[in-house]
Amino acid sequence: MNPAYFSYSTMLFYYFIAIAVTLIVKMAKGNNKIPTFQENTAYFMLFIILVLFAVLRKVSYHIGGTDALNYQQYFLSCLNTSSRFEDVDLAFGYFTKLIRSLTNSPVAYRFICYSIIAGSYVYFIKYLCPKGISSIPFLILIWPYIKSFNTMRSSLAIAIFLISLVLLYRDKKMLAWMFILMTPFIHRMSVIYVPIILFIWLFGKKLLSLNGKKLFIYLIVYVVVGYFAARFIQSYIISSSLLKDSSSADSYYIQMSMGKSIFANWPMLLPHVLLLLGLVIFNYKLPRTKQINFIKTLFIYDIIIYPPAIIFGMWRASEYLYLAS
C-alpha cells in the first residue's frame, strides 16, 4: 500500500474480509458432519466475496495495486499496440486480447481474471483441505490475495497451477499436465514449479514412507543439492548472457542474489524452516490418507525448491504453494 493513500478504514476493511473468509472456511470445513448443501453454500459465498472484493476496488495511480493501472491500460490498448507479451508470457497476452475482443470494460476484465484466481482458491480448499481443519490459519489467506491486486499476472499463473494440482489429485492427469504446462506462458517464473508432477511421480511414495529423522536428512540433502545446482545455473546464465535478448527484469532478478549468501534473505526462508521443523517433529501424527499424503508431498517440494527460487530472484515463489503450507 502506498503510504500516501494509507487509511485505517481500508486496513480495517481488509481485516473484516480476512475474518469473513475464515468464518466461511469454518462453515465449509469446520467438522466432518457438515451437510453438503452447507459446504457448497460456503464455497459460493467465499467465491463471491473474494471476486467482489477485487473487482469493485478503485484502480487508479498507486491505488488498487501498484501495477493494476498498467494491466488496465494494457487491456484497453492491447488490440492496437504491441507489447512485450508478444515475445514473453504469451498466454497472458492472448488471454487478454481475447477478452478485449469481447468487451472494452476493465471491470469485466478484472471480473474474469479474479473469478479464475478466487475460483482456484475455492477449488483447492474444497478438494485438498481436510474436514475438521482449523480455520484460524485462513486468516492470512487474504495476504496473497491482496498482493494479487498488484501482481495479477503471476497470481493468474498461480491460480492455474493450483487448479492443475487439484486435477492431478483427482487423477485427471492429462488436464493437469495441460494446465501446469500453460503456467510458464502466463508468468515465466512458473517454470520452476512445473517439475512438481515429475517430483510427485518419482519421489512421492519414497518420501512418504520415511520417518521424521530420515525425512529430515533426505530434505537437507535435496535442499543442498538444489542450492548448488541453482548457483551453477545462475552463473551459467549470467556468464553466457542467455538473457541478453529478454526483458531487463529477467536479468535484474536473476542477478539479485549473485555474490550474496542465501542467509541474507533469512526473513523469506524462516517460515519454511519453521514449517520444515514442524513437519519433521509431527510427521508421525499425520494421518496416512491420500489427501494428507498429497498435501505433504506438495509441501516437501516447496521446501526443496524455495532456496533455488530465491537464488533466481523469484520473490513471489512463496505464493505458489501458500495454500498447501
Side-chain angles (χ1 to χ4, degrees):
M1 182 183 295
N2 190 311
Y5 302 103
F6 174 81
S7 71
Y8 285 104
S9 59
T10 300
M11 183 178 68
L12 290 174
F13 180 67
Y14 288 169
Y15 281 126
F16 170 78
I17 296 293
I19 292 169
V21 167
T22 305
L23 293 175
I24 292 172
V25 172
K26 184 176 181 179
M27 178 180 169
K29 294 289 186 178
N31 61 64
N32 295 319
K33 299 180 180 180
I34 290 176
T36 301
F37 175 78
Q38 177 181 322
E39 185 177 349
N40 289 335
T41 300
Y43 295 140
F44 179 74
M45 290 171 58
L46 179 59
F47 175 79
I48 292 298
I49 286 176
L50 289 177
V51 171
L52 292 181
F53 178 37
V55 172
L56 299 181
R57 78 189 195 274
K58 181 177 180 179
V59 172
S60 184
Y61 179 71
H62 284 301
I63 297 176
T66 302
D67 289 338
L69 186 60
N70 293 334
Y71 285 124
Q72 178 172 303
Q73 290 172 340
Y74 168 66
F75 166 74
L76 292 172
S77 63
C78 65
L79 295 180
N80 303 314
T81 60
S82 59
S83 74
R84 65 188 183 90
F85 297 122
E86 295 176 2
D87 300 312
V88 295
D89 304 330
L90 298 177
F92 177 77
Y94 285 121
F95 171 73
T96 300
K97 288 181 178 181
L98 174 62
I99 299 174
R100 179 64 183 85
S101 67
L102 300 174
T103 178
N104 62 356
S105 169
V107 174
Y109 176 54
R110 285 198 295 274
F111 177 80
I112 294 171
C113 290
Y114 282 95
S115 291
I116 296 171
I117 295 170
S120 72
Y121 284 24
V122 173
Y123 193 49
F124 192 94
I125 291 169
K126 178 177 180 179
Y127 286 100
L128 289 176
C129 288
K131 284 196 173 183
I133 191 173
S134 171
S135 62
I136 295 174
F138 287 90
L139 276 168
I140 57 175
L141 179 62
I142 201 66
W143 173 242
Y145 194 70
I146 290 175
K147 287 176 70 176
S148 76
F149 293 178
N150 174 39
T151 59
M152 188 181 73
R153 180 165 48 92
S154 63
S155 295
L156 275 171
I158 292 167
I160 300 301
F161 174 73
L162 291 176
I163 291 170
S164 73
L165 294 179
V166 179
L167 291 170
L168 184 64
Y169 171 74
R170 299 181 65 197
D171 294 320
K172 300 179 184 294
K173 294 182 174 61
M174 289 298 295
L175 271 177
W177 271 107
M178 184 181 73
F179 274 75
I180 203 166
L181 290 174
M182 188 193 306
T183 57
F185 297 98
I186 300 173
H187 197 295
R188 53 203 178 282
M189 178 180 65
S190 306
V191 71
I192 201 168
Y193 280 90
V194 169
I196 194 169
I197 295 183
L198 287 175
F199 176 82
I200 293 170
W201 179 56
L202 293 173
F203 304 109
K205 290 184 179 179
K206 173 64 177 177
L207 291 170
L208 291 172
S209 67
L210 301 176
N211 59 33
K213 183 178 179 180
K214 288 183 179 179
L215 179 61
F216 180 76
I217 294 171
Y218 268 78
L219 284 177
I220 293 301
V221 170
Y222 283 131
V223 167
V224 171
V225 171
Y227 170 81
F228 284 107
R231 284 297 189 190
F232 173 79
I233 294 170
Q234 180 192 44
S235 298
Y236 177 76
I237 290 173
I238 294 173
S239 63
S240 60
S241 301
L242 287 179
L243 295 177
K244 63 182 178 181
D245 295 325
S246 298
S247 67
S248 59
D250 291 337
S251 180
Y252 169 76
Y253 283 123
I254 203 168
Q255 294 183 69
M256 284 178 62
S257 66
M258 196 69 180
K260 299 179 183 178
S261 168
I262 194 171
F263 296 107
N265 295 297
W266 68 266
M268 297 176 69
L269 288 169
L270 183 59
H272 279 69
V273 172
L274 294 176
L275 289 168
L276 168 60
L277 293 176
L279 173 63
V280 170
I281 293 170
F282 299 106
N283 181 55
Y284 72 98
K285 289 187 176 182
L286 294 175
R288 300 289 181 175
T289 64
K290 177 185 176 182
Q291 189 182 54
I292 296 298
N293 285 342
F294 190 80
I295 288 290
K296 181 179 170 182
T297 306
L298 300 181
F299 178 60
I300 289 172
Y301 183 84
D302 197 31
I303 290 173
I304 294 170
I305 209 67
Y306 196 57
I310 292 178
I311 289 171
F312 295 141
M314 298 174 175
W315 58 273
R316 298 171 197 160
S318 61
E319 298 173 39
Y320 274 76
L321 287 168
Y322 192 91
L323 267 174
S325 301

